[in-house]
Amino acid sequence: MRHPPPCFRVLVFPTRILVSTRQNSSVGALCVVESIVEASLQLQENFHNFPKDLSSQSSSTLSGPSKLCSADSREMIEKDVVMLGEEESEFIVRKGKLRRYSSTLHICALERFLNEGKAVHGQLIKSGIDPDSYSWNSLANFYAKCGSHRCARQVLHEMPKRDVVTWTALIAGLIDDGYNRDGGLLFSDMRNDGVRPNGFTLTTAFKGCSMCLDIDFGEQLHTEIIKIGFFSDIFVGSCLVDFYAKCGEMKLANRVLLSMLGWNLVSWSALLNGHTQIGEGEEILKMFFKSGFESDKFINNALVVMYMKLGSVQEGWLLFDTIIDRDLASWNALLSGYDNDETCDQGPRIFKQMLVEGFKPDMYTFCSILRHSICLSNVKFGKQVHAHSVKSGLSGDSSIGTALINMYSNNRCLEDVGIIFHRFHKKDLLTWTVIIASYVQNDESDKAVKCFSQMQHEGLKPNEFTLSSCLSGCSNLANLDTGRQFHSLAVKLGMSKDTYAASALVDMYVKCRSIEDAEALFKDMVERKIVSWNTIVCGYAQIGKGEKALEAFQLMLDEGFVPDEITFIGLLSACSNMGLVEEGKNHFNSLETVYGITPTIEHHACMVNILCRAGRFHEVGNFIEETKLAQNAMIWETVLWGSKIHGNMEFGQKAAERLFELEPEMHYNYIMLSDIFAAKGRWDDVAKVRALMLSQGIKKEPGCSWVKINGQAHMFFAQDGSDPKINEICLRLGKLTR
């Protein structure tokens, strides 16, 4: 980046901004060219084209005179770019001018103004001034914060001397955008370059390990901090405790905490959360009360969270009541519980009381209360919370936006999901992953695949969670060709060995009935975890290969793996398919007696299914009465389905009547009862069921089938003539049926 030689290329800018770049040289030129449409950059016009609501949001990270709203920031950047272009370098001290460039880039990084920052970079090239280390770091930080990781790497490559600040900025940028493994690889590159990490680099790297639960790389980092003498740093030590806790390695987390020279609130909170996740709250309490922290408000808040997550609601309430100077964090701690089926109705009451007492909800409050609305399946309350977030000026927060997408998705309000998604000013990897998962969960897998293509078009690289969601979509559609394409992409991106991505691939191949591919992938997995075994066991059960599911379960036990709740769902489904009643009973009883797992409603439904398939309806009635499950719709749906198979009109009618009370809007319950009556020739009863549906405004959803041609899915509904080629289709079908 020295003075440009005579043979340079001039880009056409507005009259007040002129940027010159050398041919075949600087990354800055490349970046500026990328941001130009038809070789011109209308910076002034871009200012007016940005969303209006951005101009009303102020930057909370700036302080003092630098605290500017977005509109002011843009105006300041515009003036600086113009002034920097017009001022003659010989009349300005080099350091002062570089400081102004760096300051402007800092504002662009905070506000994520990518195009404006590129224009500043181009102006820096034009000035001919060699950037100092601070300017280089400002450039790298700007591109990293704006998510332009390729440009950030190019800046890093061109820097004459790379220091730890630059490396850390790039690592943090990758991890903040969800590329945790890439951040770890860049950390390794930094060490290979001979750069010694600082405390912030290490805490950032541990954050990435915690996000992707990479225990191997985390242990290497642990060795690294001991080797370079950072183990005594209380913040690095706290991040290490948090990492082991999130990975479920509580013995290691305890040892790290006890080995630290000093403890702080962060380290204790991390340990509390870790023990809470695995249900070992009592053990950590013994350590905690010996430490003398019990009177601290912040620790009390963490303890409330622990009690809530353990399901000890009463203890959490009692501790909450003892906190004299309660703050917003105390209320958020209380809201962190009550998100199960039994207690989720308490969430709205707590939220209302918090508002009555004058507390203003923040991002954590809204995310928690939206989880409650999901649990309650109460979209009306969710919309009220949404409106409150808009009034509070927080609706633009990415975390709240993601929580809103989850809430609307779980209530099957996909139109609202799309509206919120398209209002995001900056769609990062997490946002794309959530919207893709939402479409998959709502059987809109085609839309999920389209979203993935759009995400790639915008230059974002998927992580293992994004790929797993897309593969689930292919599984739902039984779309083997698209699934193979995602498999190729996983190999290309180096994710095919990741446990979760590999498990999703196995699931896709099983559901697409490509059993050989699924088995080959499973055998080639570098590391099998319980999620891998669950995938193969449940996959076999779902496609009717119960014998293979039982064999896989036995092999899992032989290799020393302990089954979990999901494993038994697959196992009981396999017993149901094969008619193994007694073996199914034994496995169901072993849940609690052998493995200490409390059976869920899904396990009970599987057991009811086993008995229904075998036609043992008397035992079904006794089982429902003993387990007190008469108020659960899933149980009666299973009974109704079994009654239809065996033509048991008595039990079918009883199950349908209960379902009409529990979920009166579900059309398929009426249809199934109608089919049971029709099979027995009771046409008067069929007419009564149809009349009941009509009186309650319930319509049967039409049947649907689809065929995929040239990568495009064509969907057909009963009596549907909307396809543009319907005449050709009917003509061809007529020929086939002759």
Side-chain angles (χ1 to χ4, degrees):
M1 277 195 172
R2 302 187 182 278
H3 291 283
C7 54
F8 62 82
R9 180 161 47 112
V10 177
L11 304 179
V12 180
F13 279 68
T15 55
R16 294 194 294 168
I17 305 172
L18 183 66
V19 178
S20 60
T21 62
R22 299 171 295 166
Q23 286 184 332
N24 303 322
S25 69
S26 177
V27 58
L30 293 174
C31 293
V32 173
V33 170
E34 288 173 355
S35 68
I36 298 169
V37 180
E38 298 180 357
S40 66
L41 178 64
Q42 300 296 329
L43 186 61
Q44 179 66 34
E45 182 181 343
N46 284 346
F47 284 167
H48 298 297
N49 287 339
F50 268 76
K52 294 181 180 180
D53 57 344
L54 274 178
S55 62
S56 63
Q57 299 176 5
S58 61
S59 172
S60 59
T61 53
L62 294 175
S63 60
S66 298
K67 190 167 186 179
L68 305 170
C69 69
S70 298
D72 293 337
S73 298
R74 292 183 185 280
E75 184 178 354
M76 177 179 173
I77 294 167
E78 180 186 5
K79 290 179 180 178
D80 280 349
V81 172
V82 174
M83 290 175 64
L84 290 166
E86 293 175 349
E87 291 169 346
E88 298 296 333
S89 59
E90 57 264 30
F91 298 108
I92 299 176
V93 179
R94 174 178 171 273
K95 286 287 183 182
K97 193 167 186 179
L98 285 176
R99 194 176 300 116
R100 174 174 277 174
Y101 280 119
S102 299
S103 175
T104 307
L105 286 169
H106 179 66
I107 296 173
C108 291
L110 288 175
E111 300 287 355
R112 293 180 178 266
F113 293 161
L114 181 59
N115 287 339
E116 288 82 350
K118 284 183 176 182
V120 175
H121 188 179
Q123 197 65 36
L124 175 59
I125 297 169
K126 179 197 170 185
S127 71
I129 300 176
D130 284 334
D132 55 13
S133 60
Y134 184 75
S135 301
W136 279 115
N137 289 335
S138 297
L139 276 170
N141 178 67
F142 155 69
Y143 284 119
K145 289 281 178 64
C146 289
S148 184
H149 301 296
R150 187 175 64 84
C151 289
R153 289 297 295 266
Q154 287 176 317
V155 170
L156 182 74
H157 178 71
E158 285 202 7
M159 289 180 68
K161 184 178 180 181
R162 298 183 280 268
D163 60 17
V164 67
V165 176
T166 314
W167 285 101
T168 303
L170 267 66
I171 293 169
L174 285 167
I175 291 172
D176 287 344
D177 282 348
Y179 301 110
N180 302 299
R181 297 188 186 279
D182 289 335
L185 291 173
L186 193 60
F187 180 89
S188 300
D189 291 343
M190 180 191 76
R191 295 300 285 136
N192 292 333
D193 201 42
V195 178
R196 185 176 185 270
N198 59 22
F200 186 69
T201 319
L202 292 167
T203 55
T204 303
F206 273 122
K207 177 185 174 183
C209 291
S210 300
M211 295 291 288
C212 62
L213 304 179
D214 191 343
I215 189 70
D216 294 331
F217 187 66
E219 288 176 340
Q220 294 175 34
L221 281 176
H222 188 172
T223 305
E224 183 82 358
I225 66 172
I226 294 173
K227 180 180 176 182
I228 62 179
F230 266 96
F231 190 72
S232 58
D233 187 297
I234 193 168
F235 296 103
V236 175
S238 298
C239 286
L240 185 56
V241 172
D242 180 64
F243 160 69
Y244 281 127
K246 286 180 178 174
C247 291
E249 299 287 344
M250 296 313 303
K251 289 184 179 179
L252 291 173
N254 291 342
R255 288 174 59 186
V256 171
L257 183 73
L258 295 173
S259 302
M260 291 170 61
L261 297 179
W263 300 337
N264 66 358
L265 299 174
V266 176
S267 53
W268 271 110
S269 297
L271 200 65
L272 281 168
N273 290 333
H275 278 287
T276 300
Q277 288 172 5
I278 61 174
E280 294 180 352
E282 297 299 326
E283 181 178 337
I284 188 59
L285 281 176
K286 294 176 184 177
M287 296 174 58
F288 167 72
F289 286 118
K290 292 178 182 178
S291 67
F293 275 107
E294 65 269 19
S295 61
D296 189 284
K297 178 177 66 177
F298 300 101
I299 287 294
N300 280 331
N301 290 341
L303 280 171
V304 173
V305 173
M306 186 201 73
Y307 279 125
M308 290 300 175
K309 300 233 182 231
L310 286 172
S312 303
V313 175
Q314 187 175 0
E315 288 83 353
W317 256 113
L318 289 172
L319 181 58
F320 177 79
D321 287 336
T322 64
I323 303 174
I324 299 173
D325 54 338
R326 289 195 289 260
D327 56 9
L328 182 60
S330 307
W331 286 98
N332 288 342
L334 196 62
L335 278 170
S336 65
Y338 295 111
D339 53 0
N340 57 52
D341 292 334
E342 296 179 357
T343 59
C344 59
D345 61 322
Q346 296 292 325
R349 298 178 187 176
I350 296 170
F351 182 69
K352 181 180 179 181
Q353 184 62 32
M354 186 193 78
L355 296 177
V356 168
E357 294 194 16
F359 288 94
K360 185 178 179 181
D362 62 2
M363 178 262 290
Y364 301 102
T365 318
F366 283 117
C367 290
S368 294
I369 197 61
L370 285 168
R371 280 201 310 273
H372 289 277
S373 68
I374 291 173
C375 183
L376 288 166
S377 298
N378 189 340
V379 69
K380 183 177 180 181
F381 175 70
K383 287 183 176 181
Q384 292 174 358
V385 175
H386 185 182
H388 198 94
S389 71
V390 173
K391 290 179 181 178
S392 301
L394 294 173
S395 60
D397 181 89
S398 59
S399 298
I400 295 176
T402 303
L404 285 168
I405 288 175
N406 276 326
M407 185 273 294
Y408 283 119
S409 171
N410 277 271
N411 287 285
R412 303 188 69 83
C413 301
L414 293 186
E415 185 176 346
D416 294 302
V417 167
I419 291 171
I420 293 171
F421 177 73
H422 291 299
R423 284 180 179 172
F424 270 78
H425 302 308
K426 182 181 184 296
K427 302 180 181 72
D428 58 13
L429 183 62
L430 175 62
T431 311
W432 282 104
T433 303
V434 169
I435 191 71
I436 289 169
S438 296
Y439 283 132
V440 171
Q441 290 166 8
N442 285 280
D443 299 324
E444 296 280 359
S445 299
D446 267 344
K447 289 184 178 180
V449 174
K450 288 178 181 177
C451 276
F452 183 85
S453 300
Q454 188 180 350
M455 182 193 78
Q456 282 194 303
H457 181 71
E458 294 191 11
L460 286 172
K461 187 178 78 171
N463 61 16
E464 57 271 26
F465 303 110
T466 321
L467 278 175
S468 298
S469 296
C470 289
L471 286 166
S472 297
C474 295
S475 301
N476 294 342
L477 290 172
N479 190 338
L480 185 58
D481 291 338
T482 305
R484 290 189 190 279
Q485 293 176 25
F486 280 116
H487 188 177
S488 300
L489 182 61
V491 173
K492 180 181 177 182
L493 297 175
M495 296 179 189
S496 59
K497 301 300 181 184
D498 176 82
T499 303
Y500 296 99
S503 298
L505 283 166
V506 171
D507 181 62
M508 183 273 296
Y509 281 120
V510 168
K511 288 181 178 175
C512 292
R513 297 187 177 271
S514 182
I515 304 299
E516 292 182 2
D517 289 323
E519 292 174 339
L521 261 174
F522 183 76
K523 290 176 183 177
D524 290 342
M525 290 178 72
V526 177
E527 182 184 11
R528 294 176 190 164
K529 296 182 180 179
I530 188 64
V531 65
S532 315
W533 286 103
N534 287 346
T535 301
I536 199 72
V537 170
C538 294
Y540 280 139
Q542 287 174 3
I543 62 172
K545 294 187 177 293
E547 187 175 347
K548 284 199 169 188
L550 295 176
E551 289 175 2
F553 176 74
Q554 188 58 50
L555 184 60
M556 182 188 82
L557 295 179
D558 293 341
E559 293 194 10
F561 286 90
V562 179
D564 62 8
E565 295 91 339
I566 306 299
T567 319
F568 277 96
I569 291 174
L571 191 61
L572 292 171
S573 298
C575 292
S576 176
N577 293 335
M578 298 177 68
L580 302 175
V581 178
E582 296 306 319
E583 188 170 349
K585 285 182 178 180
N586 292 335
H587 286 307
F588 181 83
N589 292 331
S590 71
L591 266 166
E592 206 158 10
T593 58
V594 178
Y595 299 103
I597 300 172
T598 302
T600 64
I601 189 63
E602 287 80 10
H603 297 126
H604 286 95
C606 287
M607 196 62 228
V608 170
N609 191 32
I610 290 173
L611 296 173
C612 284
R613 275 180 176 265
R616 300 189 181 185
F617 288 99
H618 179 68
E619 291 185 47
V620 170
N622 292 337
F623 182 81
I624 293 174
E625 187 176 344
E626 290 171 4
T627 53
K628 299 179 181 179
L629 295 171
Q631 295 301 315
N632 191 280
M634 183 185 292
I635 298 297
W636 291 111
E637 285 174 3
T638 308
V639 174
L640 182 59
W641 178 83
S643 301
K644 180 184 176 183
I645 291 177
H646 290 278
N648 191 318
M649 192 169 60
E650 179 185 351
F651 256 88
Q653 193 168 358
K654 180 180 178 181
E657 288 172 356
R658 296 306 300 267
L659 287 169
F660 295 163
E661 296 173 5
L662 296 171
E663 43 182 28
E665 73 284 353
M666 293 300 178
H667 66 90
Y668 49 76
N669 296 327
Y670 298 87
I671 301 301
M672 208 171 295
L673 179 61
S674 174
D675 291 344
I676 292 173
F677 284 140
K680 296 291 184 178
R682 296 180 57 168
W683 301 110
D684 290 341
D685 290 322
V686 171
K688 289 179 182 178
V689 173
R690 298 285 180 172
L692 180 62
M693 288 181 65
L694 187 63
S695 66
Q696 296 192 5
I698 298 170
K699 294 183 179 180
K700 178 182 178 297
E701 290 185 6
C704 172
S705 59
W706 68 88
V707 62
K708 195 157 190 173
I709 303 172
N710 296 328
Q712 183 179 359
H714 297 266
M715 302 187 73
F716 300 94
F717 294 88
Q719 300 179 347
D720 176 29
S722 61
D723 193 282
K725 295 186 178 181
I726 189 64
N727 293 330
E728 298 176 39
I729 292 168
C730 291
L731 185 64
R732 180 58 59 90
L733 285 173
K735 291 180 180 179
L736 291 173
T737 54
R738 287 174 186 171

